[in-house]
Amino acid sequence: MTDAPAPRGLAAPAPTLVTRTRGVEDPGALLDLLPADAACAWLRGGDGLVGWGEAARVEFAGADRFEAADRWWREATEAAVVRDEVGVPGTGLVCFGSFAFADEPGRSILVVPEVVVGRRGETVWVSTTGTSLGPAPRLRPTDAPRPPGDLEVDDDAAGRDRWTGAVAEAVSRIEDGGLEKVVLARDVHARHEGRLDVRWPLRRLAEDYPTCWTFHVDGLFGATPEMLVRLERGLVTSRVLAGTIQRSGDEVRDLSLGAALSRSSKDLEEHEYAVRSVADRLAAHCTSMNVPERPFVLELPNVLHLATDVAGVSSDDASALRLAAALHPSAAVGGTPTEVAVELIAELEGMDRGRYAGPVGWMDARGDGEWGIALRSAEVTEEGVRLFAGCGIVAGSRPEAELAESDAKLVPVTDALS
């Protein structure tokens, strides 16, 4: 096994870090504390973590990226000196991470911020990390982010036709046998005036999608509705989403759409593949598994999803990141069977997903943490912003309907940039 590359920041062996966590008075909205640069975020409904500065940073690549990252984190936590005066998940030494979807190409990142501020219900804390203990920072709102300039979205007809053609080919392959589902994604490039202050779309996403997990790690940001895995004091949970319909804007009509979604054989089949994928892989690490027989309809402002919450009790010492590695890529973002679907994705998509649809989240020194799937997301580029959307393709999928679904999934980030 080769060592993971670290083109920037601190590489193996892990540095000796010193961390102190203190309880603090509520400073208000956590996103308001973020500076413009070197910021990380993971929030839902006002709770979560934000961080800034870099006490350590390491990058990984290749098929062993998860194993290498988990090993690096374990070494870092074993060498660290931690004084934790709060003692809840997310306190003490914490890293944020974002991982490439594919083995090649792509880069994956772990960042240990110098400052992390967290909220969990009524409990609020600040953790500082460096080579020695220093004073706690004064927590106050930073300057307000400026909105992007005029947004120009490059979503040309030729690109849309290419993608619907790929969907049609995928349906043909499925009908020929060999696989049951494949998830095809497309990207859209947006340009704007000036440099993007990522705090602007983060605030919009957190406000508009409070039940999603709003995130930012190293230029990748979004609001994902899908929790790949959460590990908290031995309890393992995963939220599986597959099967989507666009909302109409009318509450009565949306009730009818939700009922139709819950009866749709195409969507139920797609959802079953995704749930089975997660449950089977978690079973190797869990006991007392709870897998509901039928999904519920998750209501988001722009779409309705079929959703299932899978839960279990951890039966080994696997960290949240190791559990995420065991689940990635699930049928929700890859397909079924996974290996065949991933090969077809590489053949038909015609793009590098980068960290889109890969695990994104955080982990503490105990191995507890939350890793979502980087959906409803975009990546900051030198030219502007690259937005992503993907759809699960099964037998009976219609290319134009899948294109409309992908358009709906682009709405959250597109609106957040306005």
Side-chain angles (χ1 to χ4, degrees), residues 38-114:
C40 297
W42 179 264
L43 296 165
R44 182 174 187 254
D47 282 5
L49 303 168
V50 297
W52 57 89
E54 290 186 357
R57 172 196 177 95
V58 64
E59 299 188 6
F60 308 90
D64 69 338
R65 61 196 180 281
F66 295 104
E67 181 180 349
D70 193 62
R71 181 174 63 247
W72 185 91
W73 182 240
R74 186 171 60 250
E75 293 172 355
T77 57
E78 289 174 351
V81 178
V82 178
R83 181 177 175 183
D84 185 353
E85 300 172 8
V86 179
V88 299
T91 60
L93 189 61
V94 166
C95 68
F96 290 78
S98 176
F99 286 79
F101 173 83
D103 293 346
E104 296 292 348
R107 65 188 182 94
S108 303
I109 302 131
L110 286 184
V111 176
V112 181
E114 293 176 337

Side-chain angles (χ1 to χ4, degrees), residues 75-161:
E75 293 172 355
T77 57
E78 289 174 351
V81 178
V82 178
R83 181 177 175 183
D84 185 353
E85 300 172 8
V86 179
V88 299
T91 60
L93 189 61
V94 166
C95 68
F96 290 78
S98 176
F99 286 79
F101 173 83
D103 293 346
E104 296 292 348
R107 65 188 182 94
S108 303
I109 302 131
L110 286 184
V111 176
V112 181
E114 293 176 337
V115 178
V116 173
V117 184
R119 176 187 289 113
R120 187 181 179 90
E122 300 298 320
T123 303
V124 185
W125 65 89
V126 58
S127 300
T128 54
T129 299
T131 56
S132 62
L133 287 176
R138 297 185 64 184
L139 302 180
R140 60 179 63 180
T142 57
D143 58 303
R146 292 194 301 174
D150 292 338
L151 195 69
E152 180 182 346
V153 179
D154 183 11
D155 189 14
D156 61 278
R160 295 169 69 86
D161 288 344

